């Protein structure tokens, strides 16, 4: 096998200082690449000197990091992670996103784009194999994402913020030009604080493979597993219907968050199910660069159709069953640069607090107000935790570590309940993704109403997914494939020897690094808790399914187990203050 | 977890894939526990902490085929590569350690292999398999290795004969003692057509149990369905056929709901067979002789290399058509429906058999038994013809 600087990794980081107005390429030590892979892992490692800074501090890096498989024909690997510290949660934060931007960044010759500083005036960064140019963007400031993308489209693939990012909305996202979002955690606000409106990347440098034959065999193995997966390529799966394929299933399992999680069944959910969206809009297949699954769907006019979380939260969570309204909300968030999950969940918490959920006529104006930070939007722009506290009722916020929960009610899946709390970035479903086994039966089914074994399962899955986020591959791949096949792809690409076990050990290193950063910033067991509602109120039982409140004592026992498995103290913290110094 | 260990230890005995008294499991949550045969339990307890796995199974197979395959493998080989669908799709290959490699740091060597694969063979000890998520998954992986080894050994013996001392005698003992006559005798089936959904669910569960109990499918493979009007009732993906209550999805024919996203990966094949008309019940199993025989092709100078995927010919095995095609969306759903109507049976290369019933499962079950019996008889006939005496 060949070891070449172009096999998988470029070994190159592009550092841009917006305060100084300079850019330079740096070599990334191969040791770091081998031990942290790329994407989330490498980005988190590169935060080691900055994790204690305020998210808006000029020296806080905003890191775009691709992985070693990006630029190869590895399925679903044209992705990147954006890493920084979240202004919404205060945690270290990474977001995985697809589209074409990651592929272009790799093709420009870089594994990482690291942005620090604050420009005195609005700028955009243009990246090519020659390096980076900082371009004035005064004329783009205030523009929507779509307008910005159109203005820059001739220069390559675009990642841009909308008005929400410019105005410091705590859940502002970064939108890729193809409609993919660096959605959660407010990294768009970090970008806005740097006066950075957009990054545009272009390049055509190829990525080498150390062993083409081995790579092709592994790729065939992955594709065979995709075809064998009912969730991926099944006729009711996400390739056909996108993630809204889950709407009917969550309704059937009685775990669709409804009216700010007061209920778990919404009678109108059939109006925005996968088949309903297809019937109304056709659902043309769309997706990330080179992805065989093509789970994104678009309307004939090119409108991006919403994901499961978005339809459910702009639907059931706010008591809305009008599909057109939901799609309008999704489009508004995309154009304004708002995370759809937090936007919808914040409106829902606020709605419960004022005694009435927003109706279809109110939502568009409220979203606009949030992005512009005017009227009610000034408060709503802070996310549900701060809204609920301001309203004098903190229990209204259905969040963990200030990150609003997505559309899987934790009373219907106890591994999910645990994973919301152990996630280093707050209430996220994707860190351990127990929905895979608790609901979708992959790789095998587990009892969703039991905590038995879940602490260990969640720990293993968090480690595995930290590696996946560092390859960077799409989580959906793992409804079919496993780390066995992706370790083969990685070994064949880089010439290094990886196994599923070694990838999980890398994932563990990444997870613990993040947790150490968070603990150093004051997080501990008090933050690893669900909102009180889930311990006190039942979900919507019926049809032979009982949805009781979560047994708080049993939950806390399982958190304790989880800490022991992780080697943490009973407070969820580290015994060794020098922990990081022992890591590569 | 102890309940799970007891349950899956019992299953290894019930499906006769492991020897009584030679089974052990280990599991780890915040503590590590093991149970079963002391030597194997100690092995599991040693290996598991090195793995990001919840469970581990180690057992001595009830047949010596795994050890024979290891000993038949050329010096220098470290893995066997069965070509059946289960291996090709899920296991890829099965690494092994020879007896002499198990002295010294056996635990470390076994852990290293299991860090890369779902199961392995330790010569003289048995099959060791991990389960990332559950103890059940460790059982499933053990069972998959056992199945793949079984099929590969049948094929290797038919191709090369007996090569090792004691091999022939062991094989004769397998034939005379381990194999049991296969029939549907003593089983009760509901007469069709079945028109009550509750009755359909009950019958699917019962027939699924029969299919496992008669050895027509292993672990959580296989699937089963019944059509009533515009609804297909089908077993869920990753569901053991003998544990189907609560694991059957009603799927509307017009796909007006996607709640059946958890249905079997072969939903499309079932749907296409139903659409061809004339049947209400479909059964899919992986009987071992049928799987092995489906992989024997006498075509000479054929340019196709990936027969299991690319072959477009239809062969016949005792009146049962054999076609190629991968699982799920991989071609099986296209190739099975056109050939299954005539006989109510279709074999998929290296994979398993689909059978149908016009009104109920009795016909489908009997068809599967008949096909497997024919393949079993034909296998031994060919073996005797090729290696007389």
């Amino acid at each position: 096998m060949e070891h070449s600087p172009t096999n998988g990794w470029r070994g190159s980081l592009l550092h841009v200082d917006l305060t100084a107005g300079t850019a330079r390429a740096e070599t990334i030590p191969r040791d770091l690449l081998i031990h942290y892979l790329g994407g989330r892992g490498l980005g988190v490692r590169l935060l080691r000197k900055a994790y204690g800074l305020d998210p808006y501090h000029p020296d806080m890096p905003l890191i775009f990091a691709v992985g070693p498989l990006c630029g190869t024909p590895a399925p679903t690997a044209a992705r990147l992670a954006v890493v920084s510290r979240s202004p919404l949660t205060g945690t270290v934060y990474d977001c995985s996103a697809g589209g074409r931007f990651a592929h272009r960044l790799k093709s420009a010759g870089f594994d990482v784009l690291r942005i620090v500083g604050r420009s005195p005036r609005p700028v955009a960064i243009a990246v090519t194999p020659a390096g980076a140019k900082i371009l004035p963007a005064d004329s783009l400031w205030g523009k929507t994402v779509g307008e910005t993308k159109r203005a820059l489209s001739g220069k390559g693939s675009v990642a841009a913020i909308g008005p929400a990012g410019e105005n410091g909305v705590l859940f502002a996202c970064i939108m890729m030009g193809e409609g993919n979002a660096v959605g959660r955690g407010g990294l768009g606000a970090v970008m806005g604080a740097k006066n950075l409106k957009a990054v545009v990347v272009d390049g055509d440098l190829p990525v080498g493979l150390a062993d083409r034959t081995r790579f092709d065999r592994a790729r065939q193995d992955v594709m065979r597993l995709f075809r064998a997966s009912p969730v991926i390529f099944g006729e009711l799966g996400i390739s056909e219907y996108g993630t809204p394929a889950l709407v009917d299933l969550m309704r059937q399992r009685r775990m669709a968050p409804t009216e700010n999680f007061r209920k778990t069944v919404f009678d109108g959910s059939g109006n925005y199910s996968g088949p309903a969206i297809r019937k109304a809009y056709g659902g043309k297949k769309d997706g990330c660069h080179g992805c065989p699954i093509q789970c994104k769907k678009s309307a004939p006019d090119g409108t991006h159709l919403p994901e499961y979380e978005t339809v459910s939260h702009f639907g059931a969570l706010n008591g809305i069953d009008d599909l057109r309204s939901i799609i309008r909300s999704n489009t508004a968030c995309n154009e304004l640069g708002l995370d759809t999950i937090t936007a919808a969940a914040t409106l829902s918490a606020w709605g419960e607090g004022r005694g009435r959920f927003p109706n279809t006529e109110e939502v568009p104006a409220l979203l606009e107000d949030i992005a512009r930070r005017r009227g009610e939007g000034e408060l709503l722009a802070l996310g549900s935790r701060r809204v609920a506290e301001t309203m004098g009722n903190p229990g209204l916020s259905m969040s963990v570590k200030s990150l609003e929960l997505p559309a899987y009610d934790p009373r219907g899946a106890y591994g999910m309940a645990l994973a919301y709390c152990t996630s280093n970035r707050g209430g996220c479903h994707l860190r351990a993704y127990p929905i895979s086994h608790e609901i979708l039966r992959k790789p095998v089914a587990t009892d969703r109403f039991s905590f038995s074994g879940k602490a260990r399962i969640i720990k293993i899955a968090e480690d595995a997914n930290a590696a996946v986020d560092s390859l960077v591959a799409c989580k959906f791949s793992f409804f079919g494939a496993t780390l066995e096949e992706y370790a083969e792809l990685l070994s064949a690409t880089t010439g290094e020897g990886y196994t599923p076990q070694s990838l999980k050990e890398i994932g563990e290193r990444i997870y613990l690094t993040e947790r150490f950063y968070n603990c150093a910033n004051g997080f501990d067991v008090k933050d690893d808790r669900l909102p009180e509602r889930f311990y006190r109120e039942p979900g919507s039982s019926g049809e032979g399914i009982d949805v009781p409140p979560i047994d708080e004592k049993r939950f806390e026992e399982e958190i304790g187990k989880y800490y022991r498995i992780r080697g943490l103290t009973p407070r969820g913290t580290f015994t060794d203050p020098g922990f990081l110094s022992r890591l590569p | 977890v102890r309940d799970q260990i007891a349950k899956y230890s019992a299953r290894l005995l019930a499906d006769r894939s492991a020897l009584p008294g030679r089974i052990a499991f280990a599991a780890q949550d915040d503590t590590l526990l093991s149970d079963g045969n002391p030597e194997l339990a100690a092995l599991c307890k040693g290996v598991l902490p090195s793995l990001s796995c919840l469970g581990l199974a180690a057992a001595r197979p009830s047949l010596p085929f795994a050890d024979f395959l290891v000993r038949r493998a050329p010096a220098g080989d470290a893995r066997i590569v069965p070509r059946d669908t289960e291996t090709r799709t899920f296991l890829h290959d099965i690494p092994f350690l020879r007896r002499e490699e198990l002295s010294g740091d056996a635990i470390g060597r076994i852990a290293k292999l299991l860090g890369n694969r779902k199961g392995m063979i330790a010569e003289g000890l048995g099959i060791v398999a991990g389960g990332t998520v559950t103890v059940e998954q460790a059982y499933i992986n053990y069972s998959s290795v056992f199945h793949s080894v079984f099929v590969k050994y049948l094929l290797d013996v038919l191709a090369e004969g007996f090569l090792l001392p004691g091999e022939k005698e062991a094989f004769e003992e397998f034939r005379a003692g381990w194999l049991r006559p296969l029939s549907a005798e003593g089983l009760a089936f509901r007469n069709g057509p079945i028109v009550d959904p509750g009755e359909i669910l009950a019958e699917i569960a019962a027939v699924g149990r029969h299919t496992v109990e008669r050895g027509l499918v292993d672990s959580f493979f296989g699937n089963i369905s019944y059509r009533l009007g515009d609804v297909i009732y089908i077993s869920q993906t990753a569901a053991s056929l003998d544990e189907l209550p609560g694991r059957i999805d009603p799927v509307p024919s017009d796909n007006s709901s996607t709640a059946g996203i958890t249905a079997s990966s072969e939903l499309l094949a079932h749907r296409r067979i139903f659409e061809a008309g004339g049947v209400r019940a479909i059964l899919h199993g992986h009987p071992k002789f049928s799987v092995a025989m489906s992989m024997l092709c006498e075509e000479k100078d054929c340019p196709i290399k990936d027969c299991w995927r690319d072959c477009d010919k239809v062969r016949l095995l005792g009146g049962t058509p054999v076609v190629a095609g991968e699982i799920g969306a991989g071609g099986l759903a296209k190739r099975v429906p056109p050939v299954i109507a005539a006989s109510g049976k279709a074999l998929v290369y290296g994979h398993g058999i689909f059978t149908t019933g016009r009104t109920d499962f009795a016909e489908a079950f009997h068809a599967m038994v008949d096909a497997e019996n024919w393949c079993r008889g034909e296998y031994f006939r060919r073996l005797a013809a090729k290696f007389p005496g």
Side-chain angles (χ1 to χ4, degrees), chain A residues 224 235 245 441 456 484-485, chain B residues 29 92 118 237 258 326:
Chain A
R224 189 176 305 122
E235 56 177 320
R441 308 181 62 80
R456 173 70 66 170
E484 274 185 66
E485 297 78 33
Chain B
D29 196 1
H92 306 306
K118 297 177 182 73
T237 184
T258 51
E326 289 186 300

Side-chain angles (χ1 to χ4, degrees), chain B residues 237-255:
Chain B
T237 184
S240 294
L241 289 193
D242 57 346
E243 293 183 349
L244 288 181
R247 299 181 179 95
I248 299 164
D249 281 333
V251 180
S253 297
D254 62 358
N255 283 349

Side-chain angles (χ1 to χ4, degrees), chain B residues 48-311:
Chain B
L48 190 53
S50 306
L51 299 174
S52 292
C53 268
L54 187 139
L56 196 67
R60 181 88 175 137
S62 56
L63 296 166
F65 296 170
D67 279 358
F68 285 150
L69 286 175
V70 171
R71 289 165 60 196
R72 291 165 69 109
D77 277 13
R79 59 190 185 130
I80 59 170
V81 188
R83 302 308 300 163
D84 66 283
T85 295
E86 280 183 36
T87 305
R88 222 175 32 239
T89 306
F90 300 106
L91 302 175
H92 306 306
D93 55 46
I94 304 169
F96 61 75
L97 290 171
R98 296 178 195 271
R99 199 179 296 268
E100 57 270 24
E101 295 173 293
L102 292 168
S103 57
D105 183 22
I107 284 174
R109 292 193 186 103
I110 291 172
K112 187 174 178 192
L113 294 183
L114 290 175
N116 200 33
R117 286 290 183 256
K118 297 177 182 73
M120 58 82 63
I121 299 165
E123 186 189 356
L125 278 177
I127 294 169
V128 189
T132 306
V133 177
T134 57
V135 170
E136 181 195 29
Q137 196 182 7
Y139 158 77
I140 289 166
N141 288 334
Y142 175 95
S143 183
S144 290
V145 172
F146 181 83
H147 176 90
S148 298
V149 161
F150 192 119
V151 170
K152 178 172 171 54
Y153 187 69
L154 291 183
L155 292 170
D156 286 6
V157 164
L158 192 56
E160 301 160 357
F162 302 111
L163 307 177
L164 306 168
E167 203 177 359
K168 184 168 185 293
E169 293 74 16
F171 196 79
E172 282 171 357
E173 195 178 321
F174 150 70
R175 184 178 179 183
W178 194 91
L179 278 180
R180 292 172 177 169
L182 176 63
S183 78
E185 202 176 311
L187 302 178
F189 297 92
R190 284 173 172 80
N191 291 325
I194 313 170
V195 295
D196 175 63
E199 288 283 303
I200 290 169
L201 297 179
E203 182 66 352
I204 287 176
V207 175
R209 207 165 46 244
H210 299 335
T211 309
V212 173
E213 287 169 358
R214 296 292 158 114
L216 295 166
V217 73
D218 295 286
S219 65
F220 69 170
F221 293 96
N223 38 72
I224 180 170
S225 71
Y226 195 88
R227 180 176 188 172
L228 176 63
D230 291 332
V231 178
I232 298 169
Y233 295 86
I234 185 166
S235 53
Q236 290 183 339
T237 184
S240 294
L241 289 193
D242 57 346
E243 293 183 349
L244 288 181
R247 299 181 179 95
I248 299 164
D249 281 333
V251 180
S253 297
D254 62 358
N255 283 349
S256 55
S257 164
T258 51
I261 191 173
T262 50
S264 163
S265 55
E266 304 302 3
L267 170 64
L268 184 60
H270 286 241
R271 185 192 298 277
R272 295 285 175 266
I273 293 169
F274 285 129
E275 285 171 354
V279 302
R280 288 174 184 263
I282 300 174
L283 184 57
H284 171 52
H286 296 181
K288 295 180 178 66
F289 283 92
S290 299
V291 173
M293 292 298 293
S294 74
M295 297 165 74
L296 293 175
C297 177
E298 287 157 355
E299 192 87 18
K300 304 289 182 205
D301 304 320
C302 179
I304 293 172
K305 299 299 172 215
D306 294 332
C307 319
W308 44 272
R309 186 188 62 205
D310 297 336
C311 181

